[in-house]
Amino acid sequence: MNTLHRNYIAGEWIDGAGVTRNVNPSDTNDIVGEYAQADPAQTDAAVRAAHAAFPAWSRATPQERHDVLLRASTEIFARREELGKLLAREEGKTLPEALGEVARAGQIFDFFAGEALRMHGDKFASIRPGVDIETTREPVGVVGIISPWNFPIAIPAWKIAPALAFGNTVVFKPADLVPGCAHALAEIIVRAGAPKGVFNLVMGRGSVVGQAILEHSQVDAVSFTGSVSTGKRIAAACAKAMRKFQLEMGGKNPLIVLADADVPNAVECAINGAYFSTGQRCTASSRIIVEEPIYGRFADAMMERMRALVVDDALKPGVNVGPVVDQNQLDQDLSYIEIGRNEGAKLALGGERLNRATPGFYMAPALFLDADNSMRISREEIFGPVAAMIPARDYEHALTIANDTEFGLCSGICTTSLKRASHFKRNSEAGMVMVNLPTAGVDYHAPFGGRKGSSLGPREQGGYAVEFYTTVKTSYTLA
């Protein structure tokens, strides 16, 4: 019998209006746990608790906020193995990737513990004699945080930690598919000493809990990572309410491979970006644009490397690619295999459902060759282990293809030419650019975010997070 994991509202663990079962995508017979589902009334209570707690927490000393975040970081690191196994079990990420994600969450809380102490303002000389001008940063208020399922502890960490560090209070709604890591993180934050009402966890469906957060008049800001369609609805709701919002949405990230590239390194960049984390990353390299002189050789090297990938239970040693997260995602991935075939792309390898010792959502990583940038498989985010290889005549043609997309999160280039690399960094229409590195994989202390349809609002992570989670006040004083 699984223990029911409850919502956390106003300093109390509370039963929900319903219960959901958290299923292991590597073994659908394995139930990770049972988790309470909040309803609109409970979401309302969470927001009101956060609103009531805001005045005291916003005026707490930086040391108090630092200490809470540092204690949370310390526990995350101490429980890395346990939390990593939980993450792999509920999301399907391989254990090494899961352990890395947990470590990143710990690093994020550690970083923002320091940021709580590094808050600063500016002093200006006035054009008027005897007048002093200073600027300070103040917390925004109640922040609604809506996170996705593909990074079930790292993305909540990089939203919650800065929110708390800068004196905001939080109402956190994790993805319905992965409540386990969210609940574990909530317990850690509570044990770290977050005062009553400062942090609230409301689990449940986006159409219920997320909508209740959006409609609440006491929510001052919303940070969301997820689909483009949902992001647009959130933007519209927040604009109507005149509240701050921060959106991280989709990607259709290009990796350019030029004829002068170090091919073995370029292959590893493509494999990592396209297929690790089962391709379920908004930074995944789903378009691989290869200069024609090495197109055939690169394709052969890619397929040779793909044949060595081990697809199996995320907790097994030596596994490179775990299952996709659930049946709906698997169905979507497989549907795009048929779409690509019907569009005329050549399915060179993979794309079929796999059977393993345990029932799970396994799929062979797929590579399409001779794709065109007008095809749906080259324009729409698949969010699975599917990549399309597109030929390019030369660098200029490759750059044009790379930029021809409604998205602009991340891009990459593999080349030994400093001139081409420098030009690409300046001219790629993406928020993040990688040179001779996979498009997926960023540091926790650097800003994260994109352009076009990928992102809207201030950047996440690092010192840039202060732009969203605070507002600037300018004060004038007659001396």
Side-chain angles (χ1 to χ4, degrees), residues 28 30 60 81 94 112 149 174 214 283 314 318 375 380:
T28 55
D30 176 30
E81 295 290 330
T94 66
F112 283 107
W149 51 259
L214 285 181
T283 52
M375 295 176 176
E380 298 174 9

Side-chain angles (χ1 to χ4, degrees), residues 24 50 90 119 184 200 208 217 241 254 299 308 331 348 351 397 427 429 431 448 470:
N24 179 352
E90 78 165 347
M119 287 287 288
N200 303 270
V208 177
S217 62
D331 290 342
H397 186 213
N427 292 279
E429 296 172 1
F448 179 98
T470 65

